[in-house]
Amino acid sequence: MQSRALRTHDGFLYMLSSPPASQCDRAPPASTAEKLCSTIPRRSKTEIEYKPTDDPRINDLGRAISDDFATIRENYTTPKNPIVLAHGLLGFDELRLGGDLLPGIHYWRGITDAMRANGIEVITASVPAAASIEERAAKLGQDIAEKANGKSVNIIAHSMGGLDARYMISQLRPENVNVVSLTTIATPHRGSSFADFCLNEIGPYYLPRIYKFLDSRGVATGAFNQLTRKYMRMEFNPKTPDAPGVKYFSYGAMHKPGFISWFRQPHAIIQKLEGPNDGLVSVESAKWGTYKGTLVGVSHLDLINWKNRLQWFFLGLAGVESNFNAIAFYLDIADMLAKEGEL
């Protein structure tokens, strides 16, 4: 397969298949090769890493994935069934702040374009941003029933989207929806200690008033209480068993936030109470079904390709280059699903 470059809706350039990393260390013979190699994240000798040995608890958290998804491979197997992408808390499909005057902001930034260009049929679900799991799950099932046209589907879910999918599969079982696999990415299956912290800090006096204010403006708030560790342990998980015939896979992530990162406080809180985490969800909480491994040096937003170009620029000046390419990660998940019993 020849290398191809894809310019997505937001003008950013991604590769569908890239030359080996070693080719990027030599002077390329053509300008096209220069463009391709310039988009490949390469590891630096001075790269800041969160090594698995930094925390002894990582020994119980599965395989550490440090650079498996640094570059896009030349070939990926395409699954025969559509892939549904289910977003997390406060997520969306496409957000347009400037109407038709400005490009839309996509939750799955560049990921859907790359998957479709690789021959994968992709369905993007859009559920209420902060509604309860039950409400979000009902909308997820509705989206799949309307868009899959009776085909069986594989669901890939980020963050809270994995809880929506689990509830839909186990409890709702909507007609015309047949899920053959669910892959969750940094989903808080056991809740989040940061959710506990936020609710405790706000307190029982102000919390109902905040909810009432948001509800009066049409903003559903059911999700927040449900993301606590107590709710997931005592309520959700006991009532939401895995469905027979559905394959469950999961990934977790961990990183060390920088000094000015907004993940700094939540990361510290979760680290103290739960161990390694991606800034919002601990690795331990992310484990469900067949655990595929822990992505090292990857934040909760890196998982959906939201590290912006300005941030990459300053990291480059500091001699730090990423060893994680979100596009390569999702293409690899699709490849894995295609090979797991032809899902």
PDB file of all heavy atoms in Angstrom, residues 38-72:
ATOM      1  N   SER A  38       6.847  14.706   8.531  1.00  0.00           N
ATOM      2  CA  SER A  38       6.697  15.810   9.478  1.00  0.00           C
ATOM      3  C   SER A  38       5.495  15.629  10.377  1.00  0.00           C
ATOM      4  O   SER A  38       5.391  16.245  11.422  1.00  0.00           O
ATOM      5  CB  SER A  38       6.557  17.139   8.724  1.00  0.00           C
ATOM      6  OG  SER A  38       5.327  17.187   8.026  1.00  0.00           O
ATOM      7  N   THR A  39       4.550  14.754   9.978  1.00  0.00           N
ATOM      8  CA  THR A  39       3.351  14.546  10.788  1.00  0.00           C
ATOM      9  C   THR A  39       3.478  13.354  11.712  1.00  0.00           C
ATOM     10  O   THR A  39       2.572  13.092  12.491  1.00  0.00           O
ATOM     11  CB  THR A  39       2.124  14.332   9.891  1.00  0.00           C
ATOM     12  OG1 THR A  39       2.343  13.165   9.102  1.00  0.00           O
ATOM     13  CG2 THR A  39       1.864  15.516   9.006  1.00  0.00           C
ATOM     14  N   ILE A  40       4.581  12.612  11.648  1.00  0.00           N
ATOM     15  CA  ILE A  40       4.729  11.413  12.469  1.00  0.00           C
ATOM     16  C   ILE A  40       5.339  11.773  13.813  1.00  0.00           C
ATOM     17  O   ILE A  40       6.451  12.273  13.867  1.00  0.00           O
ATOM     18  CB  ILE A  40       5.624  10.367  11.778  1.00  0.00           C
ATOM     19  CG1 ILE A  40       5.023   9.965  10.418  1.00  0.00           C
ATOM     20  CG2 ILE A  40       5.792   9.133  12.658  1.00  0.00           C
ATOM     21  CD1 ILE A  40       5.919   9.042   9.641  1.00  0.00           C
ATOM     22  N   PRO A  41       4.634  11.531  14.921  1.00  0.00           N
ATOM     23  CA  PRO A  41       5.238  11.787  16.226  1.00  0.00           C
ATOM     24  C   PRO A  41       6.377  10.806  16.458  1.00  0.00           C
ATOM     25  O   PRO A  41       6.186   9.608  16.345  1.00  0.00           O
ATOM     26  CB  PRO A  41       4.087  11.544  17.216  1.00  0.00           C
ATOM     27  CG  PRO A  41       2.854  11.525  16.381  1.00  0.00           C
ATOM     28  CD  PRO A  41       3.277  11.062  15.028  1.00  0.00           C
ATOM     29  N   ARG A  42       7.573  11.284  16.782  1.00  0.00           N
ATOM     30  CA  ARG A  42       8.712  10.417  17.018  1.00  0.00           C
ATOM     31  C   ARG A  42       9.201  10.612  18.453  1.00  0.00           C
ATOM     32  O   ARG A  42       9.181  11.709  18.988  1.00  0.00           O
ATOM     33  CB  ARG A  42       9.853  10.714  16.044  1.00  0.00           C
ATOM     34  CG  ARG A  42       9.469  10.476  14.601  1.00  0.00           C
ATOM     35  CD  ARG A  42      10.707  10.540  13.714  1.00  0.00           C
ATOM     36  NE  ARG A  42      11.371  11.823  13.767  1.00  0.00           N
ATOM     37  CZ  ARG A  42      10.987  12.877  13.030  1.00  0.00           C
ATOM     38  NH1 ARG A  42       9.974  12.790  12.228  1.00  0.00           N
ATOM     39  NH2 ARG A  42      11.664  14.023  13.113  1.00  0.00           N
ATOM     40  N   ARG A  43       9.665   9.550  19.026  1.00  0.00           N
ATOM     41  CA  ARG A  43      10.136   9.629  20.398  1.00  0.00           C
ATOM     42  C   ARG A  43      11.479  10.338  20.448  1.00  0.00           C
ATOM     43  O   ARG A  43      12.336  10.159  19.609  1.00  0.00           O
ATOM     44  CB  ARG A  43      10.280   8.234  20.986  1.00  0.00           C
ATOM     45  CG  ARG A  43       8.966   7.494  21.075  1.00  0.00           C
ATOM     46  CD  ARG A  43       9.136   6.226  21.841  1.00  0.00           C
ATOM     47  NE  ARG A  43       9.463   6.517  23.227  1.00  0.00           N
ATOM     48  CZ  ARG A  43       9.703   5.557  24.111  1.00  0.00           C
ATOM     49  NH1 ARG A  43       9.655   4.313  23.765  1.00  0.00           N
ATOM     50  NH2 ARG A  43       9.998   5.882  25.358  1.00  0.00           N
ATOM     51  N   SER A  44      11.658  11.148  21.442  1.00  0.00           N
ATOM     52  CA  SER A  44      12.909  11.858  21.651  1.00  0.00           C
ATOM     53  C   SER A  44      13.684  11.211  22.783  1.00  0.00           C
ATOM     54  O   SER A  44      13.100  10.654  23.712  1.00  0.00           O
ATOM     55  CB  SER A  44      12.631  13.327  21.993  1.00  0.00           C
ATOM     56  OG  SER A  44      13.795  13.949  22.470  1.00  0.00           O
ATOM     57  N   LYS A  45      15.020  11.301  22.723  1.00  0.00           N
ATOM     58  CA  LYS A  45      15.825  10.749  23.797  1.00  0.00           C
ATOM     59  C   LYS A  45      15.594  11.501  25.099  1.00  0.00           C
ATOM     60  O   LYS A  45      15.842  10.981  26.181  1.00  0.00           O
ATOM     61  CB  LYS A  45      17.300  10.813  23.406  1.00  0.00           C
ATOM     62  CG  LYS A  45      17.662   9.888  22.241  1.00  0.00           C
ATOM     63  CD  LYS A  45      19.138   9.969  21.921  1.00  0.00           C
ATOM     64  CE  LYS A  45      19.503   9.048  20.759  1.00  0.00           C
ATOM     65  NZ  LYS A  45      20.947   9.129  20.418  1.00  0.00           N
ATOM     66  N   THR A  46      15.131  12.734  24.981  1.00  0.00           N
ATOM     67  CA  THR A  46      14.892  13.535  26.185  1.00  0.00           C
ATOM     68  C   THR A  46      13.428  13.528  26.598  1.00  0.00           C
ATOM     69  O   THR A  46      13.010  14.306  27.416  1.00  0.00           O
ATOM     70  CB  THR A  46      15.324  14.988  25.944  1.00  0.00           C
ATOM     71  OG1 THR A  46      14.573  15.525  24.846  1.00  0.00           O
ATOM     72  CG2 THR A  46      16.803  15.069  25.626  1.00  0.00           C
ATOM     73  N   GLU A  47      12.655  12.624  26.003  1.00  0.00           N
ATOM     74  CA  GLU A  47      11.219  12.603  26.267  1.00  0.00           C
ATOM     75  C   GLU A  47      10.914  12.323  27.733  1.00  0.00           C
ATOM     76  O   GLU A  47      11.558  11.487  28.374  1.00  0.00           O
ATOM     77  CB  GLU A  47      10.573  11.511  25.413  1.00  0.00           C
ATOM     78  CG  GLU A  47       9.075  11.421  25.610  1.00  0.00           C
ATOM     79  CD  GLU A  47       8.491  10.308  24.756  1.00  0.00           C
ATOM     80  OE1 GLU A  47       9.217   9.736  23.950  1.00  0.00           O
ATOM     81  OE2 GLU A  47       7.304  10.053  24.907  1.00  0.00           O
ATOM     82  N   ILE A  48       9.931  13.051  28.263  1.00  0.00           N
ATOM     83  CA  ILE A  48       9.483  12.834  29.634  1.00  0.00           C
ATOM     84  C   ILE A  48       8.542  11.645  29.644  1.00  0.00           C
ATOM     85  O   ILE A  48       7.547  11.630  28.933  1.00  0.00           O
ATOM     86  CB  ILE A  48       8.764  14.075  30.179  1.00  0.00           C
ATOM     87  CG1 ILE A  48       9.727  15.267  30.184  1.00  0.00           C
ATOM     88  CG2 ILE A  48       8.229  13.817  31.577  1.00  0.00           C
ATOM     89  CD1 ILE A  48       9.062  16.563  30.535  1.00  0.00           C
ATOM     90  N   GLU A  49       8.826  10.642  30.449  1.00  0.00           N
ATOM     91  CA  GLU A  49       8.003   9.447  30.471  1.00  0.00           C
ATOM     92  C   GLU A  49       7.476   9.189  31.873  1.00  0.00           C
ATOM     93  O   GLU A  49       8.104   9.543  32.863  1.00  0.00           O
ATOM     94  CB  GLU A  49       8.804   8.222  30.023  1.00  0.00           C
ATOM     95  CG  GLU A  49       9.173   8.223  28.549  1.00  0.00           C
ATOM     96  CD  GLU A  49       9.781   6.896  28.146  1.00  0.00           C
ATOM     97  OE1 GLU A  49       9.486   5.887  28.818  1.00  0.00           O
ATOM     98  OE2 GLU A  49      10.534   6.865  27.176  1.00  0.00           O
ATOM     99  N   TYR A  50       6.329   8.533  31.924  1.00  0.00           N
ATOM    100  CA  TYR A  50       5.833   8.008  33.195  1.00  0.00           C
ATOM    101  C   TYR A  50       6.138   6.520  33.149  1.00  0.00           C
ATOM    102  O   TYR A  50       5.382   5.736  32.606  1.00  0.00           O
ATOM    103  CB  TYR A  50       4.334   8.253  33.308  1.00  0.00           C
ATOM    104  CG  TYR A  50       3.745   7.989  34.674  1.00  0.00           C
ATOM    105  CD1 TYR A  50       2.573   8.595  35.064  1.00  0.00           C
ATOM    106  CD2 TYR A  50       4.357   7.139  35.584  1.00  0.00           C
ATOM    107  CE1 TYR A  50       2.018   8.361  36.311  1.00  0.00           C
ATOM    108  CE2 TYR A  50       3.819   6.904  36.817  1.00  0.00           C
ATOM    109  CZ  TYR A  50       2.651   7.508  37.179  1.00  0.00           C
ATOM    110  OH  TYR A  50       2.096   7.269  38.410  1.00  0.00           O
ATOM    111  N   LYS A  51       7.279   6.128  33.689  1.00  0.00           N
ATOM    112  CA  LYS A  51       7.698   4.740  33.605  1.00  0.00           C
ATOM    113  C   LYS A  51       6.841   3.882  34.528  1.00  0.00           C
ATOM    114  O   LYS A  51       6.446   4.310  35.604  1.00  0.00           O
ATOM    115  CB  LYS A  51       9.175   4.605  33.985  1.00  0.00           C
ATOM    116  CG  LYS A  51      10.122   5.351  33.054  1.00  0.00           C
ATOM    117  CD  LYS A  51      11.556   5.135  33.487  1.00  0.00           C
ATOM    118  CE  LYS A  51      12.520   5.954  32.651  1.00  0.00           C
ATOM    119  NZ  LYS A  51      12.467   5.661  31.235  1.00  0.00           N
ATOM    120  N   PRO A  52       6.548   2.653  34.113  1.00  0.00           N
ATOM    121  CA  PRO A  52       5.740   1.770  34.950  1.00  0.00           C
ATOM    122  C   PRO A  52       6.304   1.588  36.347  1.00  0.00           C
ATOM    123  O   PRO A  52       5.574   1.397  37.298  1.00  0.00           O
ATOM    124  CB  PRO A  52       5.756   0.450  34.161  1.00  0.00           C
ATOM    125  CG  PRO A  52       5.977   0.861  32.739  1.00  0.00           C
ATOM    126  CD  PRO A  52       6.871   2.068  32.814  1.00  0.00           C
ATOM    127  N   THR A  53       7.624   1.680  36.495  1.00  0.00           N
ATOM    128  CA  THR A  53       8.228   1.473  37.804  1.00  0.00           C
ATOM    129  C   THR A  53       8.029   2.645  38.754  1.00  0.00           C
ATOM    130  O   THR A  53       8.396   2.576  39.917  1.00  0.00           O
ATOM    131  CB  THR A  53       9.738   1.224  37.641  1.00  0.00           C
ATOM    132  OG1 THR A  53      10.297   2.297  36.877  1.00  0.00           O
ATOM    133  CG2 THR A  53      10.005  -0.087  36.926  1.00  0.00           C
ATOM    134  N   ASP A  54       7.461   3.760  38.254  1.00  0.00           N
ATOM    135  CA  ASP A  54       7.222   4.914  39.116  1.00  0.00           C
ATOM    136  C   ASP A  54       6.249   4.591  40.240  1.00  0.00           C
ATOM    137  O   ASP A  54       6.222   5.242  41.271  1.00  0.00           O
ATOM    138  CB  ASP A  54       6.665   6.082  38.313  1.00  0.00           C
ATOM    139  CG  ASP A  54       7.743   6.734  37.457  1.00  0.00           C
ATOM    140  OD1 ASP A  54       8.928   6.415  37.627  1.00  0.00           O
ATOM    141  OD2 ASP A  54       7.379   7.558  36.614  1.00  0.00           O
ATOM    142  N   ASP A  55       5.380   3.617  40.031  1.00  0.00           N
ATOM    143  CA  ASP A  55       4.379   3.263  41.030  1.00  0.00           C
ATOM    144  C   ASP A  55       4.273   1.747  41.070  1.00  0.00           C
ATOM    145  O   ASP A  55       3.956   1.125  40.067  1.00  0.00           O
ATOM    146  CB  ASP A  55       3.020   3.883  40.664  1.00  0.00           C
ATOM    147  CG  ASP A  55       2.024   3.792  41.812  1.00  0.00           C
ATOM    148  OD1 ASP A  55       1.916   2.711  42.417  1.00  0.00           O
ATOM    149  OD2 ASP A  55       1.355   4.799  42.086  1.00  0.00           O
ATOM    150  N   PRO A  56       4.545   1.142  42.224  1.00  0.00           N
ATOM    151  CA  PRO A  56       4.527  -0.323  42.294  1.00  0.00           C
ATOM    152  C   PRO A  56       3.187  -0.935  41.956  1.00  0.00           C
ATOM    153  O   PRO A  56       3.101  -2.088  41.561  1.00  0.00           O
ATOM    154  CB  PRO A  56       4.910  -0.608  43.766  1.00  0.00           C
ATOM    155  CG  PRO A  56       4.578   0.647  44.497  1.00  0.00           C
ATOM    156  CD  PRO A  56       4.850   1.756  43.525  1.00  0.00           C
ATOM    157  N   ARG A  57       2.098  -0.146  42.059  1.00  0.00           N
ATOM    158  CA  ARG A  57       0.776  -0.702  41.766  1.00  0.00           C
ATOM    159  C   ARG A  57       0.585  -1.010  40.289  1.00  0.00           C
ATOM    160  O   ARG A  57      -0.311  -1.751  39.909  1.00  0.00           O
ATOM    161  CB  ARG A  57      -0.303   0.291  42.224  1.00  0.00           C
ATOM    162  CG  ARG A  57      -0.484   0.314  43.724  1.00  0.00           C
ATOM    163  CD  ARG A  57      -1.365   1.461  44.172  1.00  0.00           C
ATOM    164  NE  ARG A  57      -0.711   2.746  43.979  1.00  0.00           N
ATOM    165  CZ  ARG A  57      -1.215   3.894  44.423  1.00  0.00           C
ATOM    166  NH1 ARG A  57      -2.358   3.899  45.075  1.00  0.00           N
ATOM    167  NH2 ARG A  57      -0.568   5.020  44.228  1.00  0.00           N
ATOM    168  N   ILE A  58       1.453  -0.459  39.418  1.00  0.00           N
ATOM    169  CA  ILE A  58       1.314  -0.721  37.995  1.00  0.00           C
ATOM    170  C   ILE A  58       1.547  -2.188  37.674  1.00  0.00           C
ATOM    171  O   ILE A  58       1.117  -2.693  36.652  1.00  0.00           O
ATOM    172  CB  ILE A  58       2.290   0.162  37.178  1.00  0.00           C
ATOM    173  CG1 ILE A  58       1.957   0.096  35.676  1.00  0.00           C
ATOM    174  CG2 ILE A  58       3.714  -0.262  37.395  1.00  0.00           C
ATOM    175  CD1 ILE A  58       0.566   0.534  35.342  1.00  0.00           C
ATOM    176  N   ASN A  59       2.237  -2.910  38.566  1.00  0.00           N
ATOM    177  CA  ASN A  59       2.481  -4.323  38.326  1.00  0.00           C
ATOM    178  C   ASN A  59       1.189  -5.113  38.246  1.00  0.00           C
ATOM    179  O   ASN A  59       1.155  -6.207  37.694  1.00  0.00           O
ATOM    180  CB  ASN A  59       3.379  -4.893  39.433  1.00  0.00           C
ATOM    181  CG  ASN A  59       4.758  -4.272  39.424  1.00  0.00           C
ATOM    182  OD1 ASN A  59       5.268  -3.910  38.376  1.00  0.00           O
ATOM    183  ND2 ASN A  59       5.364  -4.145  40.605  1.00  0.00           N
ATOM    184  N   ASP A  60       0.119  -4.578  38.801  1.00  0.00           N
ATOM    185  CA  ASP A  60      -1.172  -5.259  38.775  1.00  0.00           C
ATOM    186  C   ASP A  60      -2.119  -4.675  37.723  1.00  0.00           C
ATOM    187  O   ASP A  60      -3.281  -5.036  37.674  1.00  0.00           O
ATOM    188  CB  ASP A  60      -1.850  -5.142  40.148  1.00  0.00           C
ATOM    189  CG  ASP A  60      -1.009  -5.768  41.250  1.00  0.00           C
ATOM    190  OD1 ASP A  60      -0.346  -6.783  40.965  1.00  0.00           O
ATOM    191  OD2 ASP A  60      -1.014  -5.232  42.369  1.00  0.00           O
ATOM    192  N   LEU A  61      -1.607  -3.773  36.896  1.00  0.00           N
ATOM    193  CA  LEU A  61      -2.501  -3.058  35.992  1.00  0.00           C
ATOM    194  C   LEU A  61      -2.303  -3.401  34.526  1.00  0.00           C
ATOM    195  O   LEU A  61      -2.642  -2.621  33.650  1.00  0.00           O
ATOM    196  CB  LEU A  61      -2.331  -1.543  36.203  1.00  0.00           C
ATOM    197  CG  LEU A  61      -2.611  -1.063  37.624  1.00  0.00           C
ATOM    198  CD1 LEU A  61      -2.468   0.439  37.715  1.00  0.00           C
ATOM    199  CD2 LEU A  61      -4.000  -1.482  38.082  1.00  0.00           C
ATOM    200  N   GLY A  62      -1.747  -4.567  34.249  1.00  0.00           N
ATOM    201  CA  GLY A  62      -1.681  -5.010  32.855  1.00  0.00           C
ATOM    202  C   GLY A  62      -0.457  -4.517  32.107  1.00  0.00           C
ATOM    203  O   GLY A  62       0.462  -3.927  32.671  1.00  0.00           O
ATOM    204  N   ARG A  63      -0.467  -4.738  30.811  1.00  0.00           N
ATOM    205  CA  ARG A  63       0.668  -4.403  29.959  1.00  0.00           C
ATOM    206  C   ARG A  63       0.800  -2.899  29.781  1.00  0.00           C
ATOM    207  O   ARG A  63      -0.162  -2.205  29.466  1.00  0.00           O
ATOM    208  CB  ARG A  63       0.477  -5.063  28.586  1.00  0.00           C
ATOM    209  CG  ARG A  63       1.645  -4.862  27.632  1.00  0.00           C
ATOM    210  CD  ARG A  63       1.459  -5.713  26.400  1.00  0.00           C
ATOM    211  NE  ARG A  63       0.358  -5.239  25.571  1.00  0.00           N
ATOM    212  CZ  ARG A  63       0.505  -4.416  24.539  1.00  0.00           C
ATOM    213  NH1 ARG A  63       1.702  -3.951  24.227  1.00  0.00           N
ATOM    214  NH2 ARG A  63      -0.532  -4.056  23.825  1.00  0.00           N
ATOM    215  N   ALA A  64       2.005  -2.382  29.992  1.00  0.00           N
ATOM    216  CA  ALA A  64       2.272  -0.963  29.769  1.00  0.00           C
ATOM    217  C   ALA A  64       2.565  -0.748  28.290  1.00  0.00           C
ATOM    218  O   ALA A  64       3.475  -1.365  27.729  1.00  0.00           O
ATOM    219  CB  ALA A  64       3.450  -0.515  30.622  1.00  0.00           C
ATOM    220  N   ILE A  65       1.788   0.123  27.646  1.00  0.00           N
ATOM    221  CA  ILE A  65       1.946   0.397  26.216  1.00  0.00           C
ATOM    222  C   ILE A  65       2.612   1.756  26.071  1.00  0.00           C
ATOM    223  O   ILE A  65       1.989   2.796  26.303  1.00  0.00           O
ATOM    224  CB  ILE A  65       0.578   0.399  25.505  1.00  0.00           C
ATOM    225  CG1 ILE A  65      -0.157  -0.922  25.758  1.00  0.00           C
ATOM    226  CG2 ILE A  65       0.743   0.639  24.008  1.00  0.00           C
ATOM    227  CD1 ILE A  65      -1.593  -0.939  25.262  1.00  0.00           C
ATOM    228  N   SER A  66       3.878   1.768  25.704  1.00  0.00           N
ATOM    229  CA  SER A  66       4.620   3.024  25.675  1.00  0.00           C
ATOM    230  C   SER A  66       4.771   3.612  24.282  1.00  0.00           C
ATOM    231  O   SER A  66       4.774   4.828  24.114  1.00  0.00           O
ATOM    232  CB  SER A  66       5.998   2.833  26.306  1.00  0.00           C
ATOM    233  OG  SER A  66       6.728   1.842  25.609  1.00  0.00           O
ATOM    234  N   ASP A  67       4.931   2.775  23.262  1.00  0.00           N
ATOM    235  CA  ASP A  67       5.126   3.341  21.925  1.00  0.00           C
ATOM    236  C   ASP A  67       4.527   2.500  20.808  1.00  0.00           C
ATOM    237  O   ASP A  67       4.908   2.630  19.647  1.00  0.00           O
ATOM    238  CB  ASP A  67       6.619   3.585  21.659  1.00  0.00           C
ATOM    239  CG  ASP A  67       7.453   2.313  21.820  1.00  0.00           C
ATOM    240  OD1 ASP A  67       6.856   1.230  21.994  1.00  0.00           O
ATOM    241  OD2 ASP A  67       8.682   2.409  21.771  1.00  0.00           O
ATOM    242  N   ASP A  68       3.584   1.632  21.131  1.00  0.00           N
ATOM    243  CA  ASP A  68       2.947   0.803  20.111  1.00  0.00           C
ATOM    244  C   ASP A  68       2.214   1.641  19.067  1.00  0.00           C
ATOM    245  O   ASP A  68       2.058   1.213  17.917  1.00  0.00           O
ATOM    246  CB  ASP A  68       1.943  -0.159  20.761  1.00  0.00           C
ATOM    247  CG  ASP A  68       2.620  -1.238  21.588  1.00  0.00           C
ATOM    248  OD1 ASP A  68       3.727  -0.972  22.091  1.00  0.00           O
ATOM    249  OD2 ASP A  68       2.045  -2.330  21.738  1.00  0.00           O
ATOM    250  N   PHE A  69       1.746   2.809  19.480  1.00  0.00           N
ATOM    251  CA  PHE A  69       0.935   3.640  18.581  1.00  0.00           C
ATOM    252  C   PHE A  69       1.632   4.956  18.268  1.00  0.00           C
ATOM    253  O   PHE A  69       0.999   5.989  18.115  1.00  0.00           O
ATOM    254  CB  PHE A  69      -0.438   3.886  19.208  1.00  0.00           C
ATOM    255  CG  PHE A  69      -1.107   2.630  19.679  1.00  0.00           C
ATOM    256  CD1 PHE A  69      -1.395   2.438  21.021  1.00  0.00           C
ATOM    257  CD2 PHE A  69      -1.410   1.611  18.788  1.00  0.00           C
ATOM    258  CE1 PHE A  69      -1.987   1.266  21.467  1.00  0.00           C
ATOM    259  CE2 PHE A  69      -2.004   0.429  19.226  1.00  0.00           C
ATOM    260  CZ  PHE A  69      -2.299   0.249  20.565  1.00  0.00           C
ATOM    261  N   ALA A  70       2.957   4.911  18.162  1.00  0.00           N
ATOM    262  CA  ALA A  70       3.711   6.120  17.846  1.00  0.00           C
ATOM    263  C   ALA A  70       3.527   6.529  16.396  1.00  0.00           C
ATOM    264  O   ALA A  70       3.513   7.713  16.068  1.00  0.00           O
ATOM    265  CB  ALA A  70       5.197   5.913  18.148  1.00  0.00           C
ATOM    266  N   THR A  71       3.378   5.561  15.504  1.00  0.00           N
ATOM    267  CA  THR A  71       3.221   5.852  14.080  1.00  0.00           C
ATOM    268  C   THR A  71       2.107   5.008  13.486  1.00  0.00           C
ATOM    269  O   THR A  71       1.716   3.973  14.034  1.00  0.00           O
ATOM    270  CB  THR A  71       4.522   5.571  13.299  1.00  0.00           C
ATOM    271  OG1 THR A  71       4.862   4.186  13.460  1.00  0.00           O
ATOM    272  CG2 THR A  71       5.664   6.444  13.806  1.00  0.00           C
ATOM    273  N   ILE A  72       1.621   5.438  12.362  1.00  0.00           N
ATOM    274  CA  ILE A  72       0.565   4.717  11.646  1.00  0.00           C
ATOM    275  C   ILE A  72       1.200   3.637  10.784  1.00  0.00           C
ATOM    276  O   ILE A  72       2.115   3.909  10.010  1.00  0.00           O
ATOM    277  CB  ILE A  72      -0.265   5.685  10.794  1.00  0.00           C
ATOM    278  CG1 ILE A  72      -0.983   6.674  11.705  1.00  0.00           C
ATOM    279  CG2 ILE A  72      -1.271   4.940   9.926  1.00  0.00           C
ATOM    280  CD1 ILE A  72      -1.726   7.754  10.984  1.00  0.00           C
TER     281      ILE A  72
END
